[in-house]
Each structure stands twice: as C-alpha cells, then as structure tokens.
Amino acid sequence: ETGVTQTPRHLVMGMTNKKSLKCEQHLGHNAMYWYKQSAKKPLELMFVYNFKEQTENNSVPSRFSPECPNSSHLFLHLHTLQPEDSALYLCASSQSAQGETQYFGPGTRLLVL
Amino acid sequence: AQSVTQPDIHITVSEGASLELRCNYSYGATPYLFWYVQSPGQGLQLLLKYFSGDTLVQGIKGFEAEFKRSQSSFNLRKPSVHWSDAAEYFCAVGASNDYKLSFGAGTTVTVRA
C-alpha cells in the first residue's frame, strides 16, 4: 500500500469500551499527527509526534491516549469516551514537523453510543 | 497566531462553469498555504500548495490558486467544473518553522447538471 492508511474505517463503541485506532504511513516520513474532525468545525489538531517523540498535546482529554512505536505507525487508544467524541479521526504525516506538507489518511469514523 | 477564513460555507455551481473559492488568512510572516479537498467519507487530499516563488500555483485536477499578499488571500479557481468536483474544500495556513496547520471551516461545493 502507498500513502497513509487507517484502520478501522468505521467504529462503533460504547462509553465503557476500550478500542484503538491505527495509522500507518508508507511515505518514509518522520512526523505523524492525529486530528479530530467534527461536523461544521475546523480540523482540530490533537497530537503530534516527531521522530517518535510527542511534541504536541493540544489539551486533549486523557481518555485519548496516543502511542507512536516507530516513525511509520501511530495509534490512538480510546477508553471511556463520551458521545461528543463521535467524529472523524484523521491521521496525517509529513517529512518533518516543521513547515512540511501534511498527507492525510482516509480517517476513522467513530460513533460513541 | 495564524488563522484562516473561508467566507463561503456552501457554493453551488453548474457543470462546466467556473469556480472560485475564497480564502483569507492572518499571519505575521510569509505563510505556507495549502488547499485540500475532501470527498464524502474520505480523508483530505492535497490539491496544491504555496511556499514561495510564483504566486500563481498550479495543482491537480485542473485547479490553480493565486497568493495575494496585499489582500492576505489565497483563492482557489477552476475554469470548468466537473461533477466529480463536488466535495468539501479546505484552505490551510502554516509556517516554515512550525508544524501547525490552521484550517478554515471549509466550503462545500455542489455541482448541478
């Protein structure tokens, strides 16, 4: 595969569940990002990893826990979410975390019941 | 802090007609500017970007954008719209020394036959 892939593409979970979103980039990039896209709102940056080190946590609640084991993979662990967390979660990557073009995956559509 | 305004929430255009989407940004230095397109259920695809040089930028799918520093604008244009151009379009601004992209709220384009 090429580009940025995300799994699963759709996820329905209850508020007491624990699930994980996975992102993989095949572009040889060193920076990876998680964004939240809610209806009628601009994209919200959640987390940034540069060379596997977290460089940004944009005041995200602790029920979202990112993990970056290497420069190609990024996870978002979810637990005890709220219905307002239902959104499209987008992963992106760039060559580095400074002034580079970000390339996006297709997203995971999350519904919290 | 940088910010982006897309004044038009929704635009309807006839197939074959021209299209122009407006984007105004606020940033103190020379910005990096991007246009992305998002089809329903998909992630964001890069249409074009401006970093420096020629202020008229050509992108994919027949799109172009012009950077006008005096007007703090980066409007997207296409001479003849195809039905497949129906999507949501996002303008974003970044900087050479930062990873953060600020996105506009998006403009939804509907193409009528």
Side-chain angles (χ1 to χ4, degrees):
Chain A
E1 291 199 66
T2 59
V4 181
T5 58
Q6 291 186 243
T7 55
R9 293 294 309 277
H10 301 271
L11 179 61
V12 180
M13 59 186 291
M15 290 189 284
T16 58
N17 291 158
K18 290 184 180 181
K19 297 288 185 182
S20 295
L21 310 185
K22 179 182 176 182
C23 175
E24 183 173 3
Q25 58 93 3
H26 309 266
L27 301 169
H29 290 167
N30 297 302
M32 297 187 77
Y33 311 77
W34 280 117
Y35 286 87
K36 178 183 179 182
Q37 186 179 30
S38 303
K40 306 305 180 187
K41 293 175 67 175
L43 268 72
E44 301 173 49
L45 178 64
M46 300 175 72
F47 301 104
V48 180
Y49 279 82
N50 193 31
F51 290 92
K52 301 189 297 178
E53 298 296 321
Q54 185 174 316
T55 57
E56 176 82 12
N57 177 339
N58 201 20
S59 303
V60 180
S62 59
R63 59 185 182 270
F64 295 90
S65 175
E67 178 189 1
C68 188
N70 54 62
S71 292
S72 298
H73 294 85
L74 184 64
F75 295 89
L76 188 62
H77 304 299
L78 317 171
H79 63 98
T80 59
L81 294 192
Q82 305 298 311
E84 60 264 30
D85 296 322
S86 299
L88 182 67
Y89 288 86
L90 292 165
C91 174
S93 71
S94 63
Q95 184 60 46
S96 71
Q98 282 198 339
E100 299 284 348
T101 302
Q102 294 181 22
Y103 295 89
F104 286 79
T108 295
R109 174 70 62 186
L110 174 65
L111 177 62
V112 181
L113 300 177
Chain B
Q2 60 224 40
S3 66
V4 178
T5 302
Q6 293 181 245
D8 304 303
I9 296 174
H10 190 198
I11 287 180
T12 298
V13 61
S14 296
E15 191 168 16
S18 64
L19 174 68
E20 181 168 14
L21 304 182
R22 296 182 290 164
C23 172
N24 294 100
Y25 68 90
S26 173
Y27 185 64
T30 300
Y32 285 4
L33 295 159
F34 306 84
W35 275 101
Y36 287 89
V37 61
Q38 185 178 34
S39 298
Q42 301 297 315
L44 276 68
Q45 181 183 22
L46 180 70
L47 282 176
L48 48 79
K49 60 187 178 184
Y50 172 79
F51 282 4
S52 65
D54 192 345
T55 56
L56 185 62
V57 181
Q58 301 297 321
I60 63 170
K61 302 185 180 186
F63 285 92
E64 66 177 26
E66 186 171 13
F67 170 55
K68 293 186 177 180
R69 184 188 302 274
S70 61
Q71 298 176 19
S72 297
S73 69
F74 189 57
N75 295 348
L76 182 71
R77 298 191 293 258
K78 184 168 184 176
S80 177
V81 169
H82 187 262
W83 65 265
S84 60
D85 294 322
E88 191 159 19
Y89 292 79
F90 294 91
C91 182
V93 62
S96 61
N97 60 349
D98 197 0
Y99 51 78
K100 291 183 180 178
L101 285 185
S102 293
F103 285 84
T107 297
T108 300
V109 173
T110 297
V111 180
R112 60 183 174 218

